[in-house]
Amino acid sequence: MGTYSLMRHEEVKKLVNRQIYALNRHLQSIQGGAGVSLNGSSLNPSELSRTFSMHKMGKRNPRAMRNYTIDPTISCAVSIVVDVSGSMDENINHKKKPYKMTSYTECIYALDSMVRAFDGLGIKSRVGLCELDWQGNKEKASTGCVPVVYELKGEKEKWKDQITKDVVGLQPWTGTDLISYAKASIDMVKQMKATHKIAFFMTDMADSGAREKLLEMGALAKAEGIHLVGLGFMQVS
C-alpha cells in the first residue's frame, strides 16, 4: 500500500511537464489563421530560462511574450486506464529515496500531472482504474477475462487533489492483462467527441505474449481515428 509523498509528486510533475510544451504546440497554430488570438507567456523552455536569468539582472526579455492563435477546428480527447495488478506494488526504489516508490505510485503521480495538464489545455479526459473479471461472463477481452473500469474522472469533471491522495494509497489487487487495459481505454475514448483521440493505458508491462495482439489492436484503433499508447512504469537497470 502506498503513502502519498508530496516530494515525489513534485519530482514526477517536473518530468511530465517537460513534455507538455510539445503537446501545446500541436494544439495551436502560430501567427495567424482562423481562431481565437491571445497574448501569453512563451512556453518555450529556453525562453522561460532566459526570462528568469534576465529578470535577476534587472532586464526584460523582449521575447517573453508571444501571440497564440488557437485553432477552433482542433479538439482532443483522451482516456487513461491504470493497471492495478499486484505486480504494480513491487518496490522499485533501489536508490533509497525517502519515500515508497513502486510502479503504481509512480503511475499515479504521473497520471495526476498529465490530467492537470490536459485540463489546462482544454483537452477532455476520462480516467479509470482497471481490474479484471476472470469469470468471462461478458464479451471476452482477451485471455478469458473482462476489463472492469472504476472511473475516477468523467470528461466534464476536473481532477482534484483528493483523488490523487486517495488513489495512491490503494493496494493493487488484481491480475495483469495488457489487452484488457488497451480495450478498456479504447472503449472509453470512443464515446467522446473530438477530432483527435488518444487511448492511454498505464502499466508495469508485466504480461508476456501480448505484443502482437497489442499491435493488431493499435492498428484497428488507428483505423477508427484513435491512437493507442501504452506507458510502462518499471525499474530500468
Side-chain angles (χ1 to χ4, degrees):
M1 182 178 295
T3 301
Y4 178 75
S5 167
L6 178 61
M7 180 186 297
R8 185 54 184 165
H9 189 178
E10 291 298 326
E11 290 174 352
V12 174
K13 187 185 297 183
K14 289 179 182 178
L15 295 174
V16 173
N17 285 347
R18 292 176 186 174
Q19 310 302 318
I20 299 304
Y21 171 68
L23 175 61
N24 200 16
R25 287 287 299 272
H26 284 294
L27 295 175
Q28 296 169 334
S29 58
I30 302 174
Q31 300 298 335
V36 179
S37 184
L38 55 101
N39 290 316
S41 298
S42 174
L43 297 179
N44 187 307
S46 63
E47 290 301 333
L48 289 173
S49 177
R50 185 178 293 110
T51 297
F52 179 71
S53 298
M54 293 181 72
H55 178 73
K56 289 196 297 183
M57 295 185 291
K59 299 180 180 179
R60 178 182 176 277
N61 179 10
R63 295 184 295 182
M65 303 293 287
R66 57 166 291 180
N67 177 266
Y68 295 94
T69 302
I70 301 175
D71 189 342
T73 66
I74 296 176
S75 60
C76 187
V78 303
S79 57
I80 309 174
V81 164
V82 180
D83 169 5
V84 290
S85 61
S87 61
M88 291 282 283
D89 199 38
E90 292 182 8
N91 177 49
I92 58 173
N93 188 358
H94 299 303
K95 294 185 179 181
K96 306 303 180 184
K97 296 285 187 177
Y99 40 70
K100 182 173 182 179
M101 187 175 171
T102 68
S103 294
Y104 180 70
T105 59
E106 292 291 278
C107 174
I108 298 304
Y109 294 140
L111 171 68
D112 174 282
S113 301
M114 288 171 63
V115 177
R116 289 181 188 279
F118 294 150
D119 283 349
L121 293 170
I123 298 173
K124 295 178 290 187
S125 63
R126 294 179 65 189
V127 181
L129 304 179
C130 186
E131 74 162 343
L132 305 173
D133 174 8
W134 294 94
Q135 301 302 311
N137 54 6
K138 301 177 182 177
E139 182 181 355
K140 294 182 179 180
S142 54
T143 54
C145 62
V146 174
V148 180
V149 177
Y150 295 90
E151 192 158 352
L152 302 175
K153 175 192 173 297
E155 66 175 283
K156 295 182 180 180
E157 300 170 335
K158 294 291 185 181
W159 190 260
K160 296 182 175 70
D161 291 342
Q162 197 58 46
I163 299 176
T164 303
K165 294 177 181 179
D166 289 344
V167 174
V168 82
L170 294 177
Q171 175 77 49
W173 65 90
T174 186
T176 305
D177 190 78
L178 300 188
I179 306 303
S180 291
Y181 309 144
K183 181 181 185 301
S185 192
I186 290 171
D187 287 346
M188 285 175 72
V189 83
K190 271 184 181 179
Q191 301 171 27
M192 304 169 74
K193 293 183 178 181
T195 59
H196 295 66
K197 297 182 180 182
I198 306 173
F200 290 100
F201 64 95
M202 306 173 83
T203 175
D204 62 354
M205 308 298 283
D207 184 14
S208 60
R211 185 174 183 276
E212 293 301 320
K213 180 64 175 176
L214 282 173
L215 290 174
E216 180 184 334
M217 289 185 71
L220 291 173
K222 189 174 182 180
E224 297 185 65
I226 300 171
H227 291 278
L228 178 63
V229 179
L231 300 178
F233 294 78
M234 66 202 82
Q235 176 67 33
V236 178
S237 58

